[in-house]
Amino acid sequence: MTAAIIVFPGSNRERDMRLALEASFGRAPVMVWHRETALPDVDLIVVPGGFSYGDYLRSGAMAAHSPIMREVKARAEAGVHVLGVCNGFQVLCETGLLPGALMRNASLKFICRDVHLRVERADTAFTGGYQKGDVMRVPVAHHDGNYFADTATLDRLEGEGQVAVRYCAPDGAITDAANPNGSQRSIAGVYNDRFNVLGMMPHPEDATHALLGGLGGKPLFDGMAGALKELKGAAA
Amino acid sequence: MKAKVHVTLKSGVLDPQGKAVGHALASLGFDGVGDVRQGKYIEIDLNDTDAGTARARVEDMCQKLLANTVIENYHVDIEG
Amino acid sequence: MDGISPDIVAEHGLTSEEYDKILEILGRAPNLTELGVFSVMWSEHCSYKSSKKWLKTLPTTGPQVICGPGENAGIVDIGDGLAVVFKMESHNHPSFIEPYQGAATGVGGILRDVFTMGARPVANMNALRFGSPDHPKTRHLVSGVVAGIGGYGNCVGVPTVGGECNFHSSYDGNILVNAMTVGIAEKDRIFYSAATGAGNPVVYVGSKTGRDGIHGATMASAEFNEDSEEKRPTVQVGDPFTEKLLIEACLELMATDAIVAIQDMGAAGLTSSSFEMASKGGVGVELDLDRVPAREENMTAYEFLLSESQERMLMVLRPGAEDTARAIFDKWELDFAVVGHLTDTGRMVIKMNGDVAADLPIDPLALASPEYDRPWTPSPKLAEVTSDSVPAPDDPLAALETLMGSPDLCSRRWIWEQYDHLVMGDTVQRPGGDAGVIRVQRPNGEVTNKGLAITTDVTPRYCFADPEEGAKQAVVEAWRNLTAVGALPLAITDNMNFGNPERPQIMGQFVGAVAGIRAACDALNFPVVSGNVSLYNETAGEAILPTPAIGAVGLLERFDGSVGIALPGDGYALVLVGETRGHLGQSLYLREIAGREEGAPPPVDLAVEKRTGDFIRHAIADKLIAACHDLSDGGLLVALAEMALAGDTGAVLEDVNGKIAQHAWLFGEDQGRYLVAVRDAGALVSAAQAAGIPAQKIGETGGKELILQGSSLALDALRSAHEGWFPGYMAAG
């Protein structure tokens, strides 16, 4: 499988993502500069973390209008899998590929710490490495991670099973204390309605090595590698 | 011409920054402060000569970039 | 522009003797632009005129040193063709005036010092000193400084892996913000600032120039007074996004052979960068200010030369390399302009609107840079505080709980959770331990097996009580902190924060501190490779505590060989390594529990430090040690409590103390000690004894409380005291 990582001016977790993908996919992802207008043939497109365009206006707002995002959108609509992490999640929301918006953390402060996430479903191409209800420990590092959508949208997301991961206590309980940023209904990540696009605020890529943040995020990458390989085999 | 754009959070969207400002004002002893909402103010110099066209262009800018209409409203004033 | 009045000279911070020297060098009166250049180049900040004489006495060499002080940052060999590049620098005055931007631009400036040399910045640290928590400005300053450091470092994507923070009333009107950056360079691709080759193009890159911070460098060397609030417009505003682009663009260009010399525009901007480059290379330089990218209209030559707009660099390129360079900066959407060329005239000639705005001889100006031997008086030695003069607590564990919840010992989580300490994915030991540890990556991002340990240390109350012993202690504590994670200490950067050097007792503190650093660095083979001096840290005649902050870097041949402070679980033995005498003078127990700030600080025995640290490092490498913590503020019981909280594991302390009063044993701050958790206490103790180092088993790990002679303290209670103070304090505003 091949993955591509989109690099914007101000991206800063593209290397973390590259290392995580390389370890699970067995090959280096293609790094694609935001001014490109075409993407190579890839199985996964990743929009990484960072501060694209300094997050100056709104997090992800300007990156969403980069030339490459038109192509990312077209590929996503054609069914290619797209993962957005942190700033990447913000970009995907701004692009309209995912519902909702990421607002300033309720504490108003940047937050960098480990959180626990409950996996809400394990039957997507992203979460095959987990069981439903599994709890993973991964870090967050953001200023604008407070997930917002109107009530009707939230109800629809929950009804359609589009909530991917929620902030939780170590035992999986959804509590206010475990919600680091004020996100509505403790939502840490969502899918689009076709389940080929996932956006999440926490950084699974920074939890893929036992001594460097632990292995909480490793099954996500291993699971993606397995699922995308299977999809590719089925298509061929 | 000059466009003056105010971008504010929609009513109903929680505004933690506004809330913090309101709290700070109260603790500074300003009585009678109700709801505080904060937003952005953007000035744009334009080459347009017609106010109507200028407004239409700036509203398009708001829709496409300056505001996130999932959470924000905008208000455009054209001067000059 | 004729007619420089004595008032104008004084406003530029120059003495009449210094002005006479200017007349002598030029053989004429300077114009205002030229006077501005002199004032900046001869400011304390740029010339080190009060401190130079003493700084020269510091050890700066060693087999590991590639480049010592005098360049943008120090460079040390770490093997496999790699070098670590680091420096610490103060941004004290700007941070007091506008804490967010002052701290943010401090981080930006130190990052540029490091990537200018060809290194990719891989870690940031900081050392912060604030006034008393009761002072009305403290909360606002803490909040702004922490947000500013985070706002800048998080955006550029360099992890902030640790630091330190103290509160003391001497900093009420004069906080200290010292920022450190560590970078990694390929040893054969290091870039220096010496410009060579008459005719070579001089290129300006980065942000446009505005009127930011005009005379910031002279402001940074002037004592604060009531008017300081009025100086707000001179504070620069940082743009971390542009800095991030500048890092990537510079590193991309550095992979080619286009660059002859490069220098960031820090304090004093275009003046000092072009001047220093020409001076070091022994060439002349001609600049055309009409070509400098400007953000504001109608700027004068004076303003162009003295602007401190951030995120700008000056480079000398090889002839014909302009197009290669321009293409890279275009890609990163940064300004790029050829603004002049080198000459063989030995002069700095500045042109604007076709006129010569300044024409100064470079060597005479540099050679005539003032150097003062300021009068100084040695700091008087204070008497020892004996333990029998210090009341013992009714309940040592209650005293521990108080100490762990005090401003200087409580958890700094509130601070470091606002810093992205994980970006780059290489963080091995996170903030909260003895030293931050990262896995080493090559500048191109490739992973290696090496690790770097980084720490910043100084105990200002020790330095006030005895500048020489205190500065010695700062160096050895840094060395111990690197040792305690298993790293081999390599070298230090010193950030000397002091009061007004024109006062003999302040100058005496400085002289004493330099002597202490020198002694410790010599004994530990731990040279000074870079540094920064910040003087005049006074408000209305009240000086700060002398604060020679030490930033230090150590090497782990394998990053997986580091240990942390967290107790690893039940059933480990606790061994105290090093000798305990029960020194309570200047201890936090004395201050926080007995309410006294008195006495001589704990003495440092450099030979013992070396022997003990070398033993610990080898024991870690031999896998004998599962967790390790150096003993410092608060002594033995505080160290144990920190280890217990980090590992969420309790401990039972044995009653092994014989001849020392119990409170001195538990809370004394004797140096040269480590507390370690081991599987086999007997093996470690006998190995230590064989090496001539005192060591004894003092307890065992287990449970969820600390138990001492029948009384106990639950970890949950201890944790809420320890974690509670900072957020509680900040929320109370």
Side-chain angles (χ1 to χ4, degrees):
Chain A
M1 285 88 34
T2 319
I5 299 178
I6 310 296
V7 184
F8 300 102
S11 292
N12 67 25
R13 265 186 166 85
E14 72 276 20
R15 173 176 173 270
D16 312 36
M17 187 59 80
R18 174 166 69 76
L19 294 178
L21 284 170
E22 215 170 317
S24 290
F25 282 44
R27 60 195 291 186
V30 188
M31 310 304 276
V32 181
W33 185 236
H34 73 121
R35 275 201 210 150
E36 302 287 328
T37 49
L39 276 165
D41 187 20
V42 293
D43 308 291
L44 173 72
I45 300 167
V46 181
V47 188
F51 286 72
S52 55
Y53 293 93
D55 277 353
Y56 287 157
L57 192 62
R58 275 186 321 281
S59 299
M62 289 188 269
H65 295 279
S66 272
I68 194 65
M69 286 313 294
R70 219 165 309 155
E71 177 71 4
V72 172
K73 209 168 169 179
R75 291 287 178 96
E77 278 155 10
V80 174
H81 286 78
V82 177
L83 170 66
V85 170
C86 199
N87 194 227
F89 184 17
Q90 294 160 345
V91 172
L92 295 180
C93 287
E94 285 279 347
T95 314
L97 279 170
L98 289 172
L102 282 312
M103 299 183 46
R104 182 62 27 119
N105 293 341
S107 67
L108 303 181
K109 292 184 181 66
F110 188 95
I111 300 170
C112 179
R113 68 160 178 255
D114 281 351
V115 297
H116 293 90
L117 300 180
R118 191 176 75 190
V119 179
E120 298 296 284
R121 57 190 299 169
D123 58 350
T124 74
F126 300 96
T127 49
Y130 301 94
Q131 303 284 321
K132 181 176 191 265
D134 272 0
V135 173
M136 66 170 108
R137 183 183 167 116
V138 293
V140 290
H142 61 244
H143 211 162
D144 297 320
N146 182 349
Y147 186 75
F148 176 87
D150 59 46
T151 309
T153 306
L154 291 170
D155 288 346
R156 183 170 48 89
L157 289 177
E158 299 203 294
E160 303 294 324
Q162 284 174 250
V163 175
V165 280
R166 287 184 215 260
Y167 301 108
C168 66
D171 65 358
I174 306 297
T175 64
D176 284 347
N179 182 347
N181 53 27
S183 287
Q184 301 215 342
R185 305 189 192 181
S186 293
I187 292 172
V190 296
Y191 296 108
N192 66 343
D193 54 9
R194 292 174 60 187
F195 297 93
N196 66 321
V197 179
L198 166 64
M200 62 191 294
M201 284 313 296
H203 290 284
E205 75 276 23
D206 281 340
T208 55
H209 188 294
L211 293 175
L212 303 164
L215 290 165
K218 182 76 173 148
L220 186 114
F221 293 94
D222 290 347
M224 281 195 296
L228 294 173
K229 190 171 184 182
E230 215 165 281
L231 280 173
K232 199 166 193 163
Chain B
M1 331 196 76
K2 179 168 275 187
K4 297 184 167 180
V5 183
H6 286 92
V7 180
T8 49
L9 286 172
K10 287 181 172 173
S11 57
V13 175
L14 180 71
D15 175 9
Q17 295 174 86
K19 218 168 83 182
V21 172
H23 176 74
L25 288 173
S27 68
L28 284 170
F30 290 99
D31 296 333
V33 174
D35 200 18
V36 178
R37 312 278 291 169
Q38 61 91 50
K40 283 190 199 82
Y41 171 69
I42 303 165
E43 277 188 4
I44 304 168
D45 286 326
L46 297 162
N47 293 329
D48 299 65
T49 47
D50 178 67
T53 347
R55 173 174 299 277
R57 290 211 308 141
V58 174
E59 293 202 348
D60 195 29
M61 291 175 197
C62 289
Q63 287 282 348
K64 287 198 172 127
L65 180 67
L66 302 181
N68 177 350
T69 51
V70 174
I71 47 172
E72 292 169 328
N73 288 324
Y74 57 86
H75 174 83
V76 178
D77 289 312
I78 303 288
E79 285 179 5
Chain C
M1 284 290 183
D2 290 342
I4 299 291
S5 70
D7 282 354
I8 294 178
V9 172
E11 270 170 36
H12 281 76
L14 292 162
T15 65
S16 58
E17 293 76 30
E18 286 166 353
Y19 186 68
D20 289 342
K21 211 184 262 179
I22 294 173
L23 296 177
E24 189 188 313
I25 289 171
L26 293 182
R28 61 174 168 84
N31 63 32
L32 188 64
T33 302
E34 290 167 338
L35 186 76
V37 171
F38 274 99
S39 86
V40 161
M41 296 309 299
W42 287 2
S43 69
E44 190 68 58
H45 187 89
C46 293
S47 75
Y48 293 90
K49 58 192 169 193
S50 301
S51 56
K52 229 178 330 195
K53 171 183 163 71
W54 301 101
L55 295 177
K56 283 179 197 161
T57 66
L58 291 172
T60 59
T61 55
Q64 71 273 44
V65 177
I66 295 174
C67 172
E71 278 288 337
N72 285 298
I75 308 181
V76 175
D77 197 335
I78 57 169
D80 293 341
L82 292 173
V84 58
V85 180
F86 64 97
K87 186 179 176 184
M88 179 151 59
E89 194 162 74
S90 63
H91 226 213
N92 304 335
H93 293 69
S95 302
F96 182 74
I97 290 175
E98 171 25 59
Y100 185 98
Q101 292 299 342
T105 52
V107 174
I110 195 63
L111 281 164
R112 282 193 298 285
D113 277 335
V114 166
F115 72 77
T116 300
M117 304 206 70
R120 176 173 287 284
V122 293
N124 283 333
M125 298 282 278
N126 53 76
L128 311 177
R129 318 284 159 190
F130 296 103
S132 160
D134 302 329
H135 190 274
K137 282 197 109 161
T138 300
R139 203 176 267 110
H140 160 75
L141 291 167
V142 172
S143 165
V145 164
V146 171
I149 291 173
Y152 207 100
N154 299 346
C155 183
V156 296
V158 176
T160 301
V161 297
E164 56 172 353
C165 171
N166 288 141
F167 296 89
H168 190 277
S169 57
S170 78
Y171 306 107
D172 280 352
N174 211 125
I175 62 171
L176 302 183
V177 175
N178 297 171
M180 174 173 174
T181 293
V182 178
I184 302 290
E186 297 286 348
K187 208 170 129 182
D188 59 2
R189 296 207 75 80
I190 289 170
F191 291 82
Y192 296 98
S193 58
T196 53
N200 281 349
V202 176
V203 168
Y204 169 116
V205 297
S207 291
K208 292 180 170 41
T209 298
R211 290 190 175 89
D212 319 57
I214 306 282
H215 263 223
T218 39
M219 174 176 107
S221 311
E223 212 179 299
F224 265 0
N225 58 43
E226 304 289 314
D227 300 333
S228 296
E229 295 281 341
E230 297 301 314
K231 294 191 174 171
R232 194 180 291 264
T234 68
V235 171
Q236 320 90 311
V237 172
D239 178 359
F241 171 58
T242 297
E243 180 102 336
K244 168 69 175 166
L245 304 187
L246 202 49
I247 294 175
E248 300 303 333
C250 285
L251 291 177
E252 199 171 318
L253 182 60
M254 284 162 167
T256 73
D257 57 0
I259 300 175
V260 175
I262 179 166
Q263 168 87 21
D264 85 297
M265 292 189 228
L270 194 52
T271 302
S272 70
S273 55
S274 54
F275 193 92
E276 279 171 28
M277 290 176 86
S279 171
K280 281 185 184 149
V283 295
V285 61
E286 188 175 314
L287 301 180
D288 184 353
L289 298 182
D290 297 320
R291 297 199 216 161
V292 173
R295 200 181 69 221
E296 299 180 62
E297 289 176 10
N298 302 321
M299 286 182 60
T300 63
Y302 182 94
E303 290 168 334
F304 269 116
L305 286 176
L306 270 55
S307 161
E308 292 189 355
S309 292
Q310 300 285 296
E311 293 90 23
R312 304 179 300 160
M313 312 278 264
L314 204 63
M315 304 186 298
V316 175
L317 297 183
R318 289 188 202 290
E322 294 97 321
D323 289 347
T324 310
R326 188 187 301 273
I328 290 171
F329 283 84
D330 278 353
K331 171 186 162 190
W332 291 98
E333 299 174 34
L334 293 164
D335 271 301
F336 177 98
V338 178
V339 295
H341 60 273
L342 300 183
T343 65
D344 55 8
T345 62
R347 301 186 75 83
M348 179 161 107
V349 177
I350 308 293
K351 291 186 174 165
M352 194 170 172
N353 302 324
D355 296 330
V356 172
D359 182 355
L360 300 167
I362 288 167
D363 274 354
L365 200 159
L367 291 173
S369 171
E371 175 176 334
Y372 296 136
D373 182 3
R374 298 205 185 271
W376 58 279
T377 50
S379 307
K381 295 275 178 192
L382 302 180
E384 296 283 331
V385 171
T386 57
S387 58
D388 53 12
S389 76
V390 180
D394 296 336
D395 176 357
L397 290 176
L400 172 68
E401 197 176 341
T402 304
L403 277 172
M404 290 288 283
S406 69
D408 270 358
L409 275 179
C410 71
S411 165
R412 270 70 179 118
R413 184 183 302 276
W414 186 92
I415 296 179
W416 50 257
E417 282 194 347
Q418 294 186 59
Y419 302 151
D420 191 337
H421 48 271
L422 302 174
V423 62
M424 291 188 157
D426 285 328
T427 306
V428 183
Q429 300 285 349
R430 298 181 181 188
D434 280 328
V437 176
I438 55 166
R439 175 174 66 178
V440 171
Q441 59 167 302
R442 291 184 172 270
N444 67 4
E446 197 183 306
V447 165
T448 76
N449 281 325
K450 288 181 191 295
L452 280 183
I454 309 157
T455 183
T456 60
D457 293 287
V458 63
T459 311
R461 63 181 191 280
Y462 291 175
C463 297
F464 182 67
D466 184 334
E468 183 165 351
E469 280 306 298
K472 220 186 266 179
Q473 192 276 340
V475 176
V476 299
E477 186 175 344
W479 191 84
R480 275 204 307 269
N481 279 330
L482 300 177
T483 296
V485 297
L488 178 68
L490 293 175
I492 68 167
T493 176
D494 57 346
N495 199 151
M496 310 290 282
N497 307 275
F498 288 80
N500 180 350
E502 295 162 37
R503 294 204 286 142
Q505 71 270 41
I506 299 291
M507 200 60 214
Q509 291 174 346
F510 186 86
V511 171
V514 170
I517 293 172
R518 180 173 61 234
C521 289
D522 272 337
L524 301 171
N525 305 324
F526 203 30
V528 182
V529 295
S530 59
N532 170 240
V533 178
S534 171
L535 301 174
Y536 297 95
N537 290 292
E538 302 202 352
T539 306
E542 289 291 312
I544 59 162
L545 299 184
T547 311
I550 302 299
V553 174
L555 177 67
L556 288 140
E557 281 304 331
R558 293 186 57 88
F559 75 89
D560 57 10
S562 81
V563 298
I565 67 166
L567 291 183
D570 293 1
Y572 286 80
L574 292 165
V575 176
L576 175 62
V577 180
E579 189 188 1
T580 301
R581 292 179 177 178
H583 187 100
L584 286 173
Q586 296 297 340
S587 67
L588 285 180
Y589 177 85
L590 188 67
R591 193 178 83 190
E592 299 294 327
I593 305 296
R596 290 155 54 188
E597 289 185 61
E598 286 174 23
V604 175
D605 183 326
L606 292 166
V608 167
E609 285 285 353
K610 175 109 173 54
R611 189 160 66 232
T612 311
D614 289 347
F615 170 76
I616 289 285
R617 198 175 317 107
H618 286 119
I620 292 172
D622 292 344
K623 309 279 180 212
L624 294 176
I625 291 177
C628 180
H629 196 2
D630 104 290
L631 266 58
S632 55
D633 280 347
L636 172 63
L637 206 47
V638 164
L640 173 62
E642 289 170 345
M643 295 175 82
L645 289 179
D648 196 25
T649 300
V652 184
L653 273 189
E654 294 163 13
D655 186 15
V656 290
N657 168 40
K659 49 192 187 300
I660 299 168
Q662 192 201 34
H663 61 302
W665 161 259
L666 293 174
F667 298 109
E669 296 183 2
D670 309 277
Q671 299 295 297
R673 297 186 299 161
Y674 302 80
L675 182 58
V676 299
V678 296
R679 279 286 182 205
D680 184 350
L684 190 80
V685 169
S686 53
Q689 279 162 357
I693 295 161
Q696 63 184 135
K697 178 167 177 258
I698 61 154
E700 277 177 13
T701 67
K704 296 288 178 193
E705 49 190 15
L706 296 181
I707 296 172
L708 173 65
Q709 291 166 359
S711 71
S712 70
L713 173 60
L715 291 187
D716 283 347
L718 187 60
R719 179 172 287 111
S720 65
H722 188 53
E723 296 292 348
W725 187 86
F726 224 115
Y729 171 69
M730 294 308 295

